Each structure stands twice: as structure tokens, then as C-alpha cells.
């Protein structure tokens, strides 16, 4: 209950601070940097060395890849069917194909499933959502905006991104069966725990509601895919077809149902892929996801 209170209090605080004229308009960027460059690496270094690796871990890792690839196929099909521009199609592929598995997902998973759930959530996010964003996401953004991708630029983005470096280091620690001293673990845990209030404050500061936009139909397609079709696809594939039933699978399905990723929206906007629609995917997707997540949480109780 405490974590849920934190989620809504800091989300509301961020929305309120938007109305304060003297509050810096780009303050969310500094908060995002703290979360990305400090909190996320701390969480990776704390949780991943403690994970017992098995073939079942392929399920949380592959979820984001499946969601993005199907998003590419789905919106390309719709784009050709309805004659959409490349920029519109690219925007929807990226913003609907990637979920908010860290900023929004970590606080919710921690509130619902505690420490054990976070071990699975880390795998969904780091080798899953993050690597998809840094490779396929950048590839799509480049192809649908300006032309051919720069392979060196993509590799540099991945290899020098602090959470990914921390992820690789934590994987090496896991293989070597090594973990930090308990005092360092305590420090990492405390630093990582700051992510919940900071992430929700950042989300609140970035929420935008453009009621006069001409993108409502496209917004509907994007949120339908992200909040309904993606978790339904993962449920069908993992639970019905592959017959996977575990608490970890509940976490995977809940992460699949998260709202669109903020960083993906930023990526689409910076490449000129319908910036207003990108913002709407976040502004309407996050509040709406609190409703759809209740539905999916009810569904996963039967896994």
C-alpha cells in the first residue's frame, strides 16, 4: 500500500508543479538523468547478481522484442492499408511497440510483487526494453525519418549507455557467483529505491493533454495495441500456447501491459516522427493504463 501511495502522490505532485510558473519547465530532464544514470544501474547491480539463471529467463527477456516486432508488422500493415505517412507509421511503431517497463513498471511491480518480482522486471527492462529501444528503436526512427541508419552510432549508443554497462557488469558478477559486500548492497538498494518517487515525479511533469489534436484516431490505434493487444498476445503465446504458469509470468504479463515508454516518445519526437502524437501517447496512455492494469492484474491471478 505504501508504494501505491508513493506512486500517486508523486505523480500528482508532478502534475501540480507543471502549473507553478517559477518551476523550471525542463526539470524532468534532470530527474530523468538521475533515474537513468544512477538509479537504474544501482538496481541492476543489486538484483542481477542474485538471479539464478535458467531457460525460463528467456521469457521475460524476449517479451519486449516480441512486442516491438509485432508492432512493426501491425502498423506497417495499417499504414499501407490506410495510406499513412512514413512518419506517422514510424511514430506508432516506436511509441506503441515499447512499454514503460522501468519508470512506471518498476514501482508498480515492486508494489505488487516485492523483491522477487523486481528480479524479473529487471530482465524485462534491461536486456529487453532498453536494448530494443537502443537497437530496433533507433533503426526504425532513422529509417522512417531521414533514411539509412548509422551502424556505428547504434553500437555506440548501446555500449556506452550506463544502465547497459551496469547490466553487463552485473551479468559477469552473476556468472562468477560474486556479489558486493552487504554494506554496498544496502547502499545500492537505497539508491535504487529512490527511483519510484523520482520516476513518478518525472512522469507527472511530462503529462500533456492536447484535447484539440487531430490525432485521436491514431492515438486510439496506438493505445489499443499497447494496452490491450500486446498483453493479450503475450498471454496467448506464453500462457496458452507454451503453458507457462508462475509468479514470474505474472510479472511479465503486467510489464507487457504497461503504458508507452517515455524514452521511446522522446526518441520519436527528436526524429520528427509526429511529436504531438508521441506526447499524446504518453499523456493519455499513462492515466489510462492505471485502469487497464487493474483488468490485467485480475487476469494474471488465474495464471
Amino acid at each position: 500500500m505504501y508504494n501505491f501511495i508513493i506512486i500517486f502522490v508523486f505523480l500528482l505532485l508532478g502534475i501540480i508543479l507543471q502549473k507553478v510558473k517559477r518551476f523550471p519547465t525542463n526539470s524532468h530532464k534532470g530527474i530523468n538523468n538521475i533515474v537513468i544514470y544512477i538509479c537504474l544501474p544501482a538496481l541492476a547491480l543489486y538484483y542481477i547478481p542474485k538471479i539464478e539463471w535458467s531457460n525460463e529467463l528467456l521469457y521475460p527477456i524476449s517479451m519486449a522484442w516480441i512486442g516491438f516486432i509485432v508492432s512493426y508488422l501491425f502498423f506497417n500493415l495499417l499504414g499501407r492499408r490506410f495510406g499513412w505517412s512514413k512518419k506517422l507509421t514510424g511514430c506508432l511503431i516506436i511509441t506503441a511497440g515499447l512499454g514503460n517497463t522501468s519508470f512506471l513498471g518498476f514501482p508498480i511491480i515492486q508494489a505488487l510483487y516485492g523483491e522477487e518480482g523486481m528480479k524479473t522486471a529487471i530482465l524485462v527492462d534491461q536486456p529487453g526494453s532498453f536494448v530494443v529501444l537502443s537497437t530496433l528503436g533507433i533503426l526504425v526512427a532513422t529509417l522512417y525519418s531521414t533514411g539509412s541508419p548509422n551502424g556505428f552510432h547504434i553500437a555506440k549508443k548501446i555500449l556506452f549507455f550506463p544502465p547497459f554497462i551496469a547490466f553487463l557488469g552485473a551479468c559477469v558478477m552473476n556468472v562468477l557467483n560474486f556479489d558486493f559486500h552487504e554494506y554496498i548492497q544496502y547502499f545500492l538498494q537505497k539508491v535504487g529505491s529512490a527511483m519510484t518517487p523520482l520516476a513518478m515525479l518525472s512522469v507527472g511533469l511530462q503529462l500533456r493533454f492536447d484535447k484539440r489534436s487531430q490525432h485521436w484516431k491514431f492515438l486510439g490505434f496506438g493505445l489499443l495495441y499497447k494496452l490491450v493487444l500486446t498483453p493479450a498476445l503475450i498471454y496467448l503465446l506464453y500462457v496458452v500456447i507454451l503453458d507457462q504458469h508462475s509468479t514470474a509470468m505474472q510479472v511479465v504479463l503486467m510489464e507487457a501491459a504497461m503504458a508507452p515508454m517515455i524514452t521511446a516518445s522522446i526518441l520519436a519526437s527528436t526524429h520528427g516522427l509526429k511529436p504531438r502524437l508521441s506526447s499524446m501517447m504518453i499523456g493519455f496512455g499513462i492515466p489510462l493504463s492505471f485502469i487497464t492494469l487493474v483488468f490485467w492484474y485480475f487476469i494474471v491471478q488465474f495464471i
Side-chain angles (χ1 to χ4, degrees):
M1 181 59 69
Y2 172 76
N3 282 328
F4 280 113
I5 294 174
I6 291 294
I7 288 172
F8 287 105
V9 166
F10 279 87
L11 180 65
L12 180 60
L13 178 61
I15 295 172
I16 293 173
L17 288 175
Q18 284 189 43
K19 311 299 181 182
V20 179
K21 293 182 179 179
R22 294 185 179 181
F23 195 79
T25 55
N26 292 324
S27 57
H28 66 274
K29 293 182 179 179
I31 297 172
N32 288 349
N33 286 336
I34 294 173
V35 171
I36 291 172
Y37 295 116
I38 299 176
C39 296
L40 287 180
L43 288 171
L45 291 170
Y46 177 78
Y47 284 108
I48 291 179
K50 300 173 177 61
I51 295 174
E52 295 182 6
W53 294 91
S54 68
N55 290 336
E56 292 184 357
L57 298 185
L58 293 175
Y59 295 115
I61 292 174
S62 61
M63 183 275 287
W65 294 85
I66 294 170
F68 191 87
I69 291 171
V70 175
S71 175
Y72 176 83
L73 298 174
F74 180 72
F75 288 110
N76 263 304
L77 178 64
L78 290 181
R80 287 195 295 269
R81 174 68 176 81
F82 296 111
W84 293 350
S85 68
K86 287 186 66 177
K87 289 188 175 182
L88 173 59
T89 303
C91 172
L92 289 172
I93 291 171
I94 294 171
T95 57
L98 286 161
N100 206 322
T101 52
S102 57
F103 274 34
L104 192 63
F106 285 177
I108 291 177
I109 295 302
Q110 190 167 39
L112 294 175
Y113 298 97
E115 298 291 305
E116 286 301 312
M118 281 297 296
K119 293 179 182 179
T120 302
I122 285 285
L123 291 173
V124 171
D125 183 71
Q126 295 289 294
S129 300
F130 161 69
V131 179
V132 173
L133 174 71
S134 300
T135 54
L136 299 184
I138 292 175
L139 182 64
V140 169
T142 306
L143 286 174
Y144 283 75
S145 59
T146 58
S148 59
N150 186 320
F152 176 77
H153 178 68
I154 292 174
K156 184 178 178 181
K157 281 270 189 178
I158 300 171
L159 295 176
F160 291 96
F161 197 64
F164 189 68
I165 294 172
F167 166 73
L168 292 179
C171 288
V172 172
M173 290 171 61
N174 186 287
V175 171
L176 298 177
N177 197 26
F178 170 80
D179 206 345
F180 291 112
H181 187 277
E182 59 182 13
Y183 291 135
I184 299 178
Q185 291 187 49
Y186 178 80
F187 173 76
L188 291 172
Q189 185 182 33
K190 290 302 179 183
V191 171
S193 67
M195 196 205 71
T196 297
L198 290 176
M200 298 317 298
L201 179 62
S202 174
V203 169
L205 288 168
Q206 296 175 79
L207 286 181
R208 297 290 187 272
F209 303 96
D210 187 357
K211 297 180 181 179
R212 294 174 293 180
S213 175
Q214 302 298 314
H215 296 307
W216 287 103
K217 179 175 70 173
F218 310 123
L219 176 70
F221 280 122
L223 294 183
L224 173 66
Y225 178 82
K226 184 66 206 73
L227 302 179
V228 179
L229 298 183
T230 299
L233 171 66
I234 297 302
Y235 182 88
L236 176 65
L237 180 61
Y238 284 5
V239 179
V240 177
I241 297 178
L242 298 178
D243 196 29
Q244 296 297 309
H245 302 271
S246 65
T247 301
M249 201 54 55
Q250 294 183 23
V251 173
V252 172
L253 183 58
M254 291 297 291
E255 285 279 46
M258 292 296 164
M261 180 193 287
I262 294 173
T263 313
S265 172
I266 294 171
L267 176 67
S269 296
T270 54
H271 281 77
L273 302 178
K274 301 295 180 182
R276 289 189 178 182
L277 177 58
S278 299
S279 177
M280 289 176 68
M281 285 289 288
I282 299 300
F284 288 93
I286 290 176
L288 185 59
S289 72
F290 288 124
I291 299 173
T292 56
L293 282 169
V294 172
F295 167 77
W296 287 110
Y297 183 65
F298 174 78
I299 295 296
V300 301
Q301 299 312 301
F302 296 98
I303 295 180

